[in-house]
Amino acid sequence: MSTPTMGSETVGHLSDETVPGDEPPAKKRQVSGKSPIQIALGRLRKDKVAMTCFTIVMLFVLVAIFADVLQNLFDVTTEPGNPAQQLNPMNELLPYKGPPSGGFDPAHPFGVAPKTATDNLAVWLAGCRTSLLIASLATLVASIIGITLGLIAGFVGGVVDKAISFVIDFFLTIPFLLLALTLAPIINQRFALKPDLYEKAQLWSLVAILAFFGWMGVARLVRGEVLSLREREFILSARVIGMPTTRIMVKELLPNLVAPIVVAVSLMLPAFIAAEAGLAYLGIGITQGNSWGQTILRASNYYDDYALYFWEPLLGIVILVVALNLLGDAIRDAVDPKTRR
Amino acid sequence: MFAYIVKRLLAGLVVVVLISMAVFALFWFGPESPARPVCESKTGGKCTEERLANFEESLGYNNPIYEEYGKYVKGVFVGRELTVGTQKIDCDAPCLGYSFKNNTLVWDDLVKRMPATVSVAAGGAFLYLALGIPIGVAAARRRGSLTDKVLVSTFLVVSSVPYYLFALLAWIYCTLVFEIPVLGSSGYTPFTDNPWKWATGLLLPWLCLGLFGCTQYTRYTRGAMVEALSEDYIRTAKAKGLPASTVVYRHGLRSALVPVVTVFGIDLGVLLAGTIFTEKIFEIQGIGLWGLNAVGAKDLQVVAATALFGAVVMVVSNLLVDLVYSVLDPRVRLS
């Protein structure tokens, strides 16, 4: 799959022989250079799985961005409904109307939750937003930390490299879940006394925890790449002409690291989404606001009586995470010039 | 070699000490007094300021932090006497503190719960290899065929699903909905009580861990095998007329296994440090679930102990991986 797009860069192209699948010689041959990123994008565009996953991911992103617009559109809110009117006390507080027993209720397309009569669709939409918001913020923070430390460690070397490498190894040794379990309630408690801040605090504490334990992969990767790049001629030349170190790092090294960073980031995002929902499922993530993991925790008792309630958030997570993972994998293949499948 | 081990052990020790300090400080400087949960629990929710002060006094939270940390470390090595309210408890080394929630010594609980976690982890890890390596080798030998493509893409999708959802669905549908015999009766029975029940009860958790985890091993093994099978020495072995199985297993797999072992060591460490999701979903009373419940109950000594235990296991498994690595691969020299 790689040959057609690589064509313009191979030596064979400059000679007179026609490569099969090439443009006819009558047309004036365009010799245009393609950057590695362009080549990768070209490969991605031809990858059906990648494009399908990309579409799915974009749909989720749009849903997350326009969650409140969609809530208004369907006329639903995340506020608890009216349990006395909507729920049947004779039947384990399951709703009268709509799923699981009463068919379809146009006022609540996804049904309402047992016990509280909250609208499932509204919670689902809000959960999608929470999930993507936390994961993207954590990815952003983690990659900034990782790239910065990796660049510094790789380029400066010496004692600095040793120190940063030790910190990386240290963090890799920490069992993530256990420490997250320890940290989350402590950070949460600090804000528990100020209810207006609480929801925001929970969000940021989760972002902090995820980023805190997620940056090492990128840092290691960047450090390794920089170690080999810094011996190359263009860095040497930059040094010779007296370019300041920070400028070399930002202007010379960073652009060469785009490909591995994009791959790392694209695989970090689904991992964080899964981790966020996982923590919420363990009961230590977002416990106030709306999170898919929280809904799964609440709904896992209703797997039988009200399967839809349980499957809605579950499918949300599974589809989003699988699509993101497959997309990340496709990006890795597209970026790697050595891939043959 | 010896110098290397000593150096790594020292580095590991530094890591463990740092983690224990971090956890200790986290609670100490936490937003609420570390004595409050103890006080709430012992007074039945009627914890007044005065009572709280008493508990702080008796638990030592009025002393400077380094003094208390020193006592904690001393307790780990030589044991100490703990004061909880008016009680005095002898805590022999290794003393990890006292769980006010369960009214037990933390170390005793840790020892009691270890078999469950070790059982889950060992079985799951065994399946990682037992399933992952043969499938990986098979896929590598048939590289590019339909079987290979189907295997690789199925496993990619399976490994993309978050593990806890995978296990949760398996538990709900095997145990609660369809009540599959043998597989559905999950739960932990100590091996010494009834080996048959031990095995059947853990079958589903093992399968979940194994099926999910082996996808990664298949991927590594396949990749390493594809590389190994294209080496010159494989061509030589084939040219000598060796049987295909000898070529693949003795010459190819041996070198392909080296990276797999590394990953395996680290994964085993992660599993032993606490299989939190597996234990929560299948209700197995192991270290992970213990830690999780302790977080809910704010049983700080238990939380600190599980974090410390996890760190020790990880450090040791990382060290073992490096040692095994040097034995398996003669090209690796430790220094």
Side-chain angles (χ1 to χ4, degrees), chain A residues 148-158 160-161 164-165 168 223 226-227 230:
Chain A
T148 317
L149 286 181
L151 267 178
I152 295 175
F155 196 68
V156 178
V160 180
D161 181 26
I164 295 179
S165 296
I168 294 175
R223 175 180 169 271
V226 172
L227 277 182
R230 73 167 181 194

Side-chain angles (χ1 to χ4, degrees), chain B residues 137-138 141-142 225 229 234 237-238 241-254:
Chain B
V137 171
R141 286 179 80 174
R142 293 169 186 73
M225 272 306 271
L229 288 181
I234 295 291
K238 275 186 193 160
L242 290 177
S245 61
T246 317
V247 175
V248 170
Y249 293 103
R250 189 151 324 149
H251 294 248
L253 186 60
R254 203 169 151 195

Side-chain angles (χ1 to χ4, degrees), chain B residues 11 108 127 148 161 168 223 242 263 294 303 305:
Chain B
D108 295 349
L127 284 184
D148 177 34
V161 178
L168 184 67
L242 290 177
V263 186
V303 178

Side-chain angles (χ1 to χ4, degrees), chain A residues 132-311:
Chain A
L132 274 167
L133 183 66
I134 290 180
S136 345
L137 284 174
T139 308
L140 188 72
V141 176
S143 40
I144 289 175
I145 302 176
I147 292 169
T148 317
L149 286 181
L151 267 178
I152 295 175
F155 196 68
V156 178
V159 188
V160 180
D161 181 26
K162 280 227 171 88
I164 295 179
S165 296
F166 178 79
V167 176
I168 294 175
D169 286 340
F170 174 66
F171 271 87
L172 284 173
T173 323
I174 299 176
F176 161 68
L177 265 179
L178 281 173
L179 253 273
L181 283 175
T182 322
L183 269 174
I186 291 180
I187 303 182
N188 271 343
Q189 260 174 39
R190 202 171 266 286
F191 296 95
L193 303 171
K194 302 171 194 149
D196 48 326
L197 274 176
Y198 194 47
E199 242 173 81
K200 275 217 174 89
Q202 269 200 332
L203 191 141
W204 283 106
S205 71
L206 258 179
V207 170
I209 287 170
L210 291 176
F212 199 60
F213 292 104
W215 59 273
M216 298 87 73
V218 180
R220 250 190 172 180
L221 188 87
V222 170
R223 175 180 169 271
E225 292 280 322
V226 172
L227 277 182
S228 72
L229 278 177
R230 73 167 181 194
E231 307 298 333
R232 299 265 288 271
E233 290 83 356
F234 69 98
I235 299 293
L236 198 69
S237 336
R239 272 194 178 155
V240 169
I241 61 169
M243 204 186 248
T245 312
T246 39
R247 204 175 144 79
I248 296 181
M249 286 199 222
V250 178
K251 291 270 167 182
E252 302 291 331
L253 282 174
L254 210 51
N256 281 293
L257 295 169
V258 170
I261 290 174
V262 166
V263 173
V265 166
S266 64
L267 289 169
M268 204 146 75
L269 198 61
F272 281 152
I273 292 179
E276 185 271 320
L279 288 178
Y281 173 72
L282 291 179
I284 51 168
I286 294 276
T287 48
Q288 242 52 24
N290 298 293
S291 155
W292 282 340
Q294 263 291 308
T295 319
I296 291 181
L297 177 64
R298 264 183 260 133
S300 52
N301 290 330
Y302 292 94
Y303 64 91
D304 209 11
D305 301 324
Y306 194 174
L308 187 69
Y309 180 42
F310 171 67
W311 275 95

Side-chain angles (χ1 to χ4, degrees), chain A residues 27-47:
Chain A
K27 254 191 201 169
K28 197 163 183 208
R29 194 176 289 144
Q30 279 185 324
V31 181
S32 63
K34 271 188 178 172
S35 75
I37 300 288
Q38 281 171 320
I39 295 170
L41 280 178
R43 285 175 167 197
L44 268 184
R45 257 184 235 117
K46 289 200 189 105
D47 191 338

Side-chain angles (χ1 to χ4, degrees), chain A residues 60-61 64 127-137 273 320 324:
Chain A
F60 273 93
V61 171
C128 180
R129 173 179 272 190
T130 314
S131 196
L132 274 167
L133 183 66
I134 290 180
S136 345
L137 284 174
I273 292 179
L320 180 57
L324 273 169

